[in-house]
Amino acid sequence: NAGVTQTPKFQVLKTGQSMTLQCAQDMNHNSMYWYRQDPGMGLRLIYYSASEGTTDKGEVPNGYNVSRLNKREFSLRLESAAPSQTSVYFCASSREGGTGRVFGPGTRLTVL
Amino acid sequence: KQEVTQIPAALSVPEGENLVLNCSFTDSAIYNLQWFRQDPGKGLTSLLLIQSSQREQTSGRLNASLDKSSGRSTLYIAASQPGDSATYLCAAGANSKLTFGKGITLSVRP
């Protein structure tokens, strides 16, 4: 039982490049989330998926897109990376929206 | 809009002390309150989850309480150890409305 896994762990991009962050959970959770964590800003929700087939914007969605590929997988795409997107990205899941979150180990992204 | 505050931002204590970490929130209509631990360079590990109908939860040396009327939660750590050194975050709400505090960085000195 791996919980929530994220790939890659580290990534360096140049401005304008694109990439997809992958997230998978094996706990049969319905809801999945993408957060970014920045010094002094705390954790901010980018996008979430309340259930398979649905996605919604969070607090800071600009510059990102998501895909809920199936119940297990939820990916985050940066179409044209900008230095402001340098951050640590966390994926999380929960059985339902009101229950506790389980977090992945994070992806540390640097955009030059 | 829910705001979650954790003060102080950092705390240093000698080993063996019992300590209390505070979390305050502005909207008492929360669904649950969750405490997390984050080690440097790592993800968040859930410590305790208190549903809105509950008053407290306990796990080992940790006890978390919730007072919705005053908008406060506390995390009590008994007999602190150097291994407890980490950042502790609280989060209030539910669904997409889960709001995180900025965390308290705890250092337990041997």
Side-chain angles (χ1 to χ4, degrees):
Chain A
N1 194 345
V4 179
T5 57
Q6 292 183 236
T7 55
K9 287 186 169 55
F10 301 93
Q11 184 71 50
V12 179
L13 293 177
K14 295 181 180 178
T15 297
Q17 288 185 318
S18 62
M19 78 160 296
T20 300
L21 281 64
Q22 307 286 353
C23 173
Q25 52 90 10
D26 62 0
M27 297 170 286
N28 202 34
H29 284 174
N30 289 321
S31 301
M32 298 186 74
Y33 312 83
W34 276 105
Y35 292 89
R36 60 179 289 174
Q37 185 176 39
D38 302 289
M41 300 295 292
L43 274 153
R44 294 181 290 171
L45 183 65
I46 305 171
Y47 269 94
Y48 68 101
S49 171
S51 61
E52 185 178 357
T54 69
T55 60
D56 286 287
K57 296 178 180 179
E59 185 183 353
V60 289
N62 292 346
Y64 306 95
N65 283 300
V66 290
S67 295
R68 184 73 183 266
L69 304 169
N70 48 56
K71 191 171 186 179
R72 292 186 63 248
E73 298 172 290
F74 189 37
S75 63
L76 178 72
R77 182 161 179 83
L78 287 69
E79 292 291 351
S80 178
S84 61
Q85 294 178 306
T86 293
S87 187
V88 181
Y89 291 85
F90 290 102
C91 178
S93 69
S94 63
R95 191 166 59 247
E96 297 159 355
T99 57
R101 303 279 147 98
V102 178
F103 279 79
T107 294
R108 282 147 187 82
L109 175 66
T110 301
V111 183
L112 302 175
Chain B
K1 178 184 175 184
Q2 177 77 273
E3 292 183 6
V4 178
T5 303
Q6 294 183 257
I7 295 174
L11 187 62
S12 180
V13 300
E15 181 176 5
E17 273 205 8
N18 301 324
L19 54 98
V20 173
L21 305 182
N22 293 308
C23 170
S24 62
F25 47 91
T26 55
D27 185 355
S28 62
I30 64 171
Y31 195 90
N32 62 39
L33 192 294
Q34 192 168 6
W35 282 93
F36 295 89
R37 169 183 171 140
Q38 186 174 29
D39 292 292
K42 304 293 185 183
L44 280 72
T45 300
S46 179
L47 296 174
L48 291 164
L49 169 68
I50 312 174
Q51 301 280 7
S52 65
S53 58
Q54 299 172 323
R55 295 296 301 271
E56 65 178 337
Q57 285 287 333
T58 298
S59 176
R61 294 183 294 109
L62 305 180
N63 174 275
S65 65
L66 175 63
D67 184 343
K68 290 176 59 179
S69 62
S70 66
R72 291 177 60 183
S73 176
T74 59
L75 178 66
Y76 176 81
I77 303 177
S80 58
Q81 303 170 357
D84 294 329
S85 298
T87 297
Y88 292 82
L89 297 93
C90 67
N95 302 313
S96 65
K97 306 294 186 213
L98 190 68
T99 303
F100 287 80
K102 291 187 170 64
I104 297 173
T105 299
L106 173 66
S107 173
V108 181
R109 307 186 301 271

